[in-house]
Amino acid sequence: MRDEQTPGAGGDLANQAEGYLLWQATIAEAEQRAREFTDRMDWLTTSQRHEVERHHIEDSLRRARQDLERVAARCRSLRGEYERRYRSLRLRCAGWTLAVCAAAVLTAAVSLIR
């Protein structure tokens, strides 16, 4: 089984491409919203409009990055929690399997002795 987190793995490249495309879409959306925002301000000069749009885009992208960082941190946290629970469940299942097998062997041994 191939680890998707290994550098150079095909999944890593796909994740990078998806992340790049997602970020480009976020930039395009921020630019569109900035234009829509300044379109309502017809009293702005061209240079003022560009300046307001630039600030609006920077603010939108900063907020988007913060949101993505929060989501990524939560994903890492959930992954760690899932891995701990899965490990615990695996140990519990292995313990029960060993107990049932030991009971079956013990029952078979007792029945052979009689």
PDB file of all heavy atoms in Angstrom, residues 7 12 47 54 57 71-72 76 97:
ATOM      1  N   PRO A   7       6.548  12.272  -0.019  1.00  0.00           N
ATOM      2  CA  PRO A   7       6.878  13.233  -1.067  1.00  0.00           C
ATOM      3  C   PRO A   7       7.132  12.514  -2.378  1.00  0.00           C
ATOM      4  O   PRO A   7       7.765  11.475  -2.419  1.00  0.00           O
ATOM      5  CB  PRO A   7       8.150  13.912  -0.548  1.00  0.00           C
ATOM      6  CG  PRO A   7       8.122  13.710   0.936  1.00  0.00           C
ATOM      7  CD  PRO A   7       7.430  12.385   1.138  1.00  0.00           C
ATOM      8  N   ASP A  12       0.325  13.372  -3.862  1.00  0.00           N
ATOM      9  CA  ASP A  12       0.885  14.655  -3.427  1.00  0.00           C
ATOM     10  C   ASP A  12       0.824  15.679  -4.557  1.00  0.00           C
ATOM     11  O   ASP A  12       0.446  16.824  -4.347  1.00  0.00           O
ATOM     12  CB  ASP A  12       2.328  14.456  -2.955  1.00  0.00           C
ATOM     13  CG  ASP A  12       2.902  15.699  -2.307  1.00  0.00           C
ATOM     14  OD1 ASP A  12       2.180  16.329  -1.504  1.00  0.00           O
ATOM     15  OD2 ASP A  12       4.047  16.042  -2.607  1.00  0.00           O
ATOM     16  N   SER A  47      -7.475  55.992  -9.936  1.00  0.00           N
ATOM     17  CA  SER A  47      -6.397  55.562  -9.030  1.00  0.00           C
ATOM     18  C   SER A  47      -6.958  55.183  -7.654  1.00  0.00           C
ATOM     19  O   SER A  47      -6.487  54.220  -7.035  1.00  0.00           O
ATOM     20  CB  SER A  47      -5.331  56.642  -8.887  1.00  0.00           C
ATOM     21  OG  SER A  47      -5.865  57.812  -8.321  1.00  0.00           O
ATOM     22  N   ARG A  54      -7.282  47.032  -4.542  1.00  0.00           N
ATOM     23  CA  ARG A  54      -6.069  46.345  -4.066  1.00  0.00           C
ATOM     24  C   ARG A  54      -6.180  46.006  -2.582  1.00  0.00           C
ATOM     25  O   ARG A  54      -5.899  44.885  -2.158  1.00  0.00           O
ATOM     26  CB  ARG A  54      -4.836  47.214  -4.324  1.00  0.00           C
ATOM     27  CG  ARG A  54      -3.511  46.503  -4.016  1.00  0.00           C
ATOM     28  CD  ARG A  54      -2.315  47.408  -4.281  1.00  0.00           C
ATOM     29  NE  ARG A  54      -2.282  48.591  -3.449  1.00  0.00           N
ATOM     30  CZ  ARG A  54      -1.900  48.602  -2.169  1.00  0.00           C
ATOM     31  NH1 ARG A  54      -1.537  47.498  -1.576  1.00  0.00           N
ATOM     32  NH2 ARG A  54      -1.892  49.727  -1.485  1.00  0.00           N
ATOM     33  N   ILE A  57      -8.780  43.243  -2.074  1.00  0.00           N
ATOM     34  CA  ILE A  57      -8.257  41.937  -2.476  1.00  0.00           C
ATOM     35  C   ILE A  57      -7.287  41.406  -1.426  1.00  0.00           C
ATOM     36  O   ILE A  57      -7.359  40.243  -1.022  1.00  0.00           O
ATOM     37  CB  ILE A  57      -7.580  42.029  -3.864  1.00  0.00           C
ATOM     38  CG1 ILE A  57      -8.632  42.287  -4.939  1.00  0.00           C
ATOM     39  CG2 ILE A  57      -6.777  40.771  -4.170  1.00  0.00           C
ATOM     40  CD1 ILE A  57      -8.051  42.686  -6.283  1.00  0.00           C
ATOM     41  N   VAL A  71      -8.792  25.584   9.060  1.00  0.00           N
ATOM     42  CA  VAL A  71      -9.351  24.312   8.586  1.00  0.00           C
ATOM     43  C   VAL A  71      -8.262  23.245   8.566  1.00  0.00           C
ATOM     44  O   VAL A  71      -8.489  22.105   8.994  1.00  0.00           O
ATOM     45  CB  VAL A  71      -9.995  24.480   7.191  1.00  0.00           C
ATOM     46  CG1 VAL A  71     -10.316  23.141   6.561  1.00  0.00           C
ATOM     47  CG2 VAL A  71     -11.257  25.325   7.289  1.00  0.00           C
ATOM     48  N   ALA A  72      -7.076  23.588   8.090  1.00  0.00           N
ATOM     49  CA  ALA A  72      -5.974  22.623   8.039  1.00  0.00           C
ATOM     50  C   ALA A  72      -5.587  22.166   9.444  1.00  0.00           C
ATOM     51  O   ALA A  72      -5.344  20.971   9.667  1.00  0.00           O
ATOM     52  CB  ALA A  72      -4.772  23.235   7.329  1.00  0.00           C
ATOM     53  N   ARG A  76      -5.812  18.331  10.859  1.00  0.00           N
ATOM     54  CA  ARG A  76      -4.705  17.619  11.511  1.00  0.00           C
ATOM     55  C   ARG A  76      -5.131  17.105  12.884  1.00  0.00           C
ATOM     56  O   ARG A  76      -4.802  15.983  13.274  1.00  0.00           O
ATOM     57  CB  ARG A  76      -3.479  18.518  11.621  1.00  0.00           C
ATOM     58  CG  ARG A  76      -2.760  18.730  10.295  1.00  0.00           C
ATOM     59  CD  ARG A  76      -1.429  19.453  10.485  1.00  0.00           C
ATOM     60  NE  ARG A  76      -1.591  20.814  10.976  1.00  0.00           N
ATOM     61  CZ  ARG A  76      -1.784  21.875  10.210  1.00  0.00           C
ATOM     62  NH1 ARG A  76      -1.856  21.742   8.904  1.00  0.00           N
ATOM     63  NH2 ARG A  76      -1.902  23.072  10.737  1.00  0.00           N
ATOM     64  N   THR A  97      -9.940 -11.129  19.979  1.00  0.00           N
ATOM     65  CA  THR A  97      -9.655 -12.265  19.099  1.00  0.00           C
ATOM     66  C   THR A  97      -8.750 -13.266  19.806  1.00  0.00           C
ATOM     67  O   THR A  97      -9.002 -14.477  19.760  1.00  0.00           O
ATOM     68  CB  THR A  97      -9.003 -11.783  17.787  1.00  0.00           C
ATOM     69  OG1 THR A  97      -9.884 -10.867  17.148  1.00  0.00           O
ATOM     70  CG2 THR A  97      -8.691 -12.933  16.854  1.00  0.00           C
TER      71      THR A  97
END
